[in-house]
Amino acid sequence: MAHKKKISTKQKLLAKNKVDALKEGGVSPSMGTRTATVQALEVLSSQGVVAALRGQKQGISDLLHNTDRALSIKLAVVYGAGLLVERDEDEWHSLCAAQEWIDHPKVKPKRTDPLRAVLRLAVGFEGKKADSTVHRYYKALSPLFLEKVPADQIPIRILEAGGIEKMRQNSARSIVVNSTPDILQTLHGVTKAAQFRAWITVYPLGGGVANVTIEKLKQPKKK
């Protein structure tokens, strides 16, 4: 039993060192971004969501226009926390029990919006700057969150976009609907909410556009 306890303590110390390094912006220049991101995400799983999010707070609001690797890794951890609390009820309850929500009762985490909740805890609650930062990061990351892009891919996605701000600007997703003239005419003729049975083909997202083809459309018979 003593041997197991010693290993557990060592693991906690290693995880703590990683958290401290991230707080100081201490991502080693010689370490690959993917490796650094994976290590950061290990801290998330070993320390829990709340501790990991608090560890990202320093500098997260000051690097908005930066492609800096440290920022992208911080955002990967926050994004990863969102994926975790979405599927893990215990972690969600831990997030909701954080003191920050008690200190700011007007802002409450919503179960249906885990990404915004983790962003808020990581960025903070003070003033319009925090509100703006949460909104900007949310707009940039939410399309990836909806697609369930793995957290360790976030830094490269930010880099490819040219930074988090450009990612935000390019985050709009559109859906193009294709079908036969008769079906399209039926859709255009809808004047109020209506239910249909549809046979559709959805093509992979590309260039921010999702293509949907309606093969067949049928309105249920009235009872």
Side-chain angles (χ1 to χ4, degrees), residues 92 96 101 104-111 113 116-117 120 125:
W92 172 254
C96 294
W101 303 109
H104 302 86
K106 291 184 179 181
V107 183
K108 296 182 179 179
K110 295 181 180 179
R111 191 70 184 99
D113 200 356
R116 192 183 299 275
R120 173 59 71 181
F125 296 76

Side-chain angles (χ1 to χ4, degrees), residues 49-168:
V49 165
V50 175
L53 291 173
R54 288 170 177 163
Q56 312 314 308
K57 192 177 295 290
Q58 183 176 340
I60 198 169
S61 297
D62 301 327
L63 301 170
L64 192 58
H65 301 285
N66 206 317
T67 57
D68 185 85
R69 192 168 68 134
L71 173 63
S72 70
I73 293 174
K74 285 177 181 289
L75 290 175
V77 173
V78 176
Y79 175 97
L83 292 177
L84 181 58
V85 299
E86 183 178 50
R87 66 176 183 267
D88 190 313
E89 287 296 328
D90 289 339
E91 288 287 8
W92 172 254
H93 290 310
S94 295
L95 177 76
C96 294
Q99 183 64 39
E100 288 89 336
W101 303 109
I102 299 172
D103 294 339
H104 302 86
K106 291 184 179 181
V107 183
K108 296 182 179 179
K110 295 181 180 179
R111 191 70 184 99
T112 55
D113 200 356
L115 179 60
R116 192 183 299 275
V118 295
L119 282 167
R120 173 59 71 181
L121 193 61
V123 170
F125 296 76
E126 303 299 335
K128 293 183 178 180
K129 181 180 179 181
D131 293 343
S132 176
T133 301
V134 169
H135 175 74
R136 286 169 179 265
Y137 286 161
Y138 182 86
K139 189 172 182 181
L141 296 173
S142 57
L144 303 180
F145 193 83
L146 290 173
E147 295 169 29
K148 295 299 175 282
V149 172
D152 61 4
Q153 292 185 20
I154 296 303
I156 190 62
R157 293 297 188 99
I158 293 174
L159 180 63
E160 289 174 346
I164 191 67
E165 181 64 9
K166 285 189 177 180
M167 178 180 278
R168 180 190 69 82

